[in-house]
Amino acid sequence: MYADRLFNALEKREPAPGTVLLSAPGAQRTATLIIGQNGHYTLGVDLTVRSEVPVFNLLPEWHEVAFKPQAFFVGGPHENNAVFAIAVLGDAAAPTDLFQPFGPQLAQVAMGADPNIIKQYAKGVRFFSGHQRWETHVVQEEVAAGEWYVAPALAHDVMSSGDVWGEIMHRQEMPLPLYATFPSNLFLN
């Protein structure tokens, strides 16, 4: 596939917390935010799949701090009953017992925290049900094979409710911006 050769021709970054894995053009337009990594596993949440479940239905106390649209996103197939809350931090230093930082202005939120306290430090929170999980060596092999492009994450990626994959591709070095509007289904082009 041409996209595989495209990603192989570009400078490679290591997948790490605070980066986004972008799927190759022509595949499903997936943007997975890496939120954690240890010697065994790499964890991430898919920024592109919004569910129809409002945050208010499951976590009514959190709906005011949720980014719009105030719906759960499908983080991935693993532990889909678990909630992952990713905050975009403001300028004030956030307490580490409530926030686990993993990238510029990005942190995982302790779900046992008081949402009113979280609002003091966060611009907002995106909620995910489930997550993506790879053995660390597997995701590294997939990046080396050109299946993923690793890009730095921005706070906007978590706040966006639009075409996150296209937005991230658009801000990369040439020639990747040319693929930002590449359809996931060529027959719909």
Side-chain angles (χ1 to χ4, degrees), residues 30-166:
T30 302
T32 302
L33 175 66
I34 303 296
I35 61 173
Q37 195 172 50
N38 61 30
H40 304 290
Y41 294 104
T42 297
L43 302 177
V45 290
D46 188 342
L47 298 171
T48 62
V49 182
R50 185 176 72 208
S51 78
E52 297 298 319
V53 179
V55 171
F56 185 81
N57 285 8
L58 300 177
L59 301 169
E61 67 279 11
W62 286 93
H63 86 279
E64 287 184 24
V65 73
F67 284 120
K68 293 184 179 177
Q70 294 172 322
F72 275 90
F73 278 59
V74 180
H78 298 282
E79 298 182 53
N80 56 10
N81 290 331
V83 174
F84 293 84
I86 306 301
V88 173
L89 300 175
D91 297 328
T96 56
D97 60 327
L98 301 178
F99 297 94
Q100 181 181 6
F102 62 85
Q105 288 188 285
L106 298 173
Q108 193 167 345
V109 178
M111 288 304 298
D114 180 344
N116 293 315
I117 294 174
I118 297 301
K119 281 196 291 191
Q120 296 173 21
Y121 300 98
K123 294 179 182 178
V125 177
R126 178 73 70 212
F127 294 90
F128 298 88
S129 61
H131 67 278
Q132 303 281 349
R133 180 178 63 213
W134 297 267
E135 290 184 24
T136 298
H137 72 90
V138 172
V139 74
Q140 291 169 338
E141 290 168 5
E142 290 178 0
V143 168
E147 295 176 30
W148 299 101
Y149 179 75
V150 182
L154 297 179
H156 175 77
D157 303 337
V158 174
M159 296 186 292
S160 178
S161 61
D163 176 17
V164 178
W165 183 90

